[in-house]
Amino acid sequence: NAGVTQTPKFRILKIGQSMTLQCTQDMNHNYMYWYRQDPGMGLKLIYYSVGAGITDKGEVPNGYNVSRSTTEDFPLRLELAAPSQTSVYFCASSYGAKPLGHSPLHFGNGTRLTVT
Amino acid sequence: AQTVTQSQPEMSVQEAETVTLSCTYDTSENNYYLFWYKQPPSRQMILVIRQEAYKQQNATENRFSVNFQKAAKSFSLKISDSQLGDTAMYFCAEGANSKLTFGKGITLSVRP
């Protein structure tokens, strides 16, 4: 199993450009997440999904969009990139049980995005 | 809303010694889990240990153990016999319902 795969690993965007961060998992996990990690700030939840066709906002959703058309894929879309979106982005998945600890998160290796 | 606080931004420890990383949390949930994740320079997020809130016994995983004080909402990580490979950022996290809330992290350096 590949686990959680994120592409690209690195990307530099100009202000106002758009892009999609790809995330796919092959573990048949129901729950998928997007986090961003800023220096000294920990990980903040952007969006999450508890199953195909269902998405919900996290703590910092502004400037982002997501979709979940299949169980495997959970892409994150930046429509108008801004310098404040410079960050490291992590995708994660879990089997899905409440509380979350019954099935811990599996993380991808992250995407480092710079907006200049 | 859940909050997780890691008040120490950095710590340093001599190889082979013991170090304790602090974490406090706040939650309105009765049923939740607590976690410590390690992030080495490779950026990979690695689960170190987890604790079920309804279990009084502290979790242990080899050299890693926790001190879980539910009433005080405290969840510290003890690393025994520190190794150079333990050098990393460590995040405390709390999981309730469908989401995980992270602290800001602490950078641990192990000195040879």
Side-chain angles (χ1 to χ4, degrees):
Chain A
N1 285 352
V4 179
T5 302
Q6 288 183 240
T7 57
K9 288 188 171 62
F10 303 94
R11 184 73 186 267
I12 299 174
L13 281 182
K14 294 191 186 305
I15 294 171
Q17 285 185 323
S18 62
M19 78 162 293
T20 299
L21 280 66
Q22 301 291 347
C23 176
T24 188
Q25 52 90 9
D26 61 359
M27 297 172 282
N28 202 31
H29 283 171
N30 292 319
Y31 288 23
M32 295 188 75
Y33 305 82
W34 276 106
Y35 285 90
R36 59 177 286 173
Q37 182 181 13
D38 301 311
M41 296 302 293
L43 279 74
K44 301 285 189 184
L45 182 63
I46 305 171
Y47 271 97
Y48 68 105
S49 168
V50 300
I54 305 169
T55 61
D56 272 304
K57 294 179 181 179
E59 190 179 353
V60 289
N62 291 344
Y64 307 94
N65 280 301
V66 294
S67 60
R68 185 93 182 273
S69 56
T70 66
T71 299
E72 295 77 21
D73 300 305
F74 191 42
L76 178 71
R77 179 84 177 161
L78 283 71
E79 291 294 349
L80 290 170
S84 61
Q85 293 177 305
T86 293
S87 189
V88 177
Y89 292 84
F90 284 97
C91 180
S93 72
S94 77
Y95 177 74
K98 297 178 182 180
L100 197 59
H102 283 295
S103 56
L105 262 59
H106 296 254
F107 283 86
N109 287 331
T111 295
R112 181 176 294 279
L113 176 67
T114 302
V115 182
T116 61
Chain B
Q2 287 78 32
T3 60
V4 177
T5 303
Q6 295 178 254
S7 56
Q8 307 155 300
E10 296 180 5
M11 287 193 77
S12 178
V13 64
Q14 194 73 33
E15 192 177 8
E17 293 190 345
T18 296
V19 64
T20 299
L21 311 182
S22 301
C23 173
T24 59
Y25 65 95
D26 193 15
T27 181
S28 55
E29 302 290 336
N30 291 322
N31 196 13
Y32 56 92
Y33 276 72
L34 296 162
F35 306 82
W36 279 97
Y37 278 88
K38 171 185 177 181
Q39 186 181 46
S42 66
R43 205 167 69 194
Q44 188 181 5
M45 291 289 287
I46 302 165
L47 178 63
V48 175
I49 198 165
R50 60 176 165 165
Q51 172 78 41
E52 301 172 64
Y54 58 87
K55 284 191 176 179
Q56 293 188 349
Q57 185 174 7
N58 289 324
T60 62
E61 287 286 344
N62 301 314
R63 298 183 294 108
F64 299 89
S65 61
V66 299
N67 183 6
F68 175 45
Q69 302 289 328
K70 191 171 183 178
K73 293 185 177 176
S74 170
F75 183 61
S76 60
L77 174 69
K78 185 171 85 170
I79 306 175
S80 304
D81 186 25
S82 297
Q83 300 176 359
L84 297 178
D86 295 334
T87 291
M89 193 141 192
Y90 288 81
F91 292 96
C92 179
E94 184 254 345
N97 294 319
S98 311
K99 295 178 286 186
L100 213 58
T101 300
F102 287 85
K104 292 184 178 181
I106 178 171
T107 301
L108 176 67
S109 301
V110 180
R111 306 186 303 274

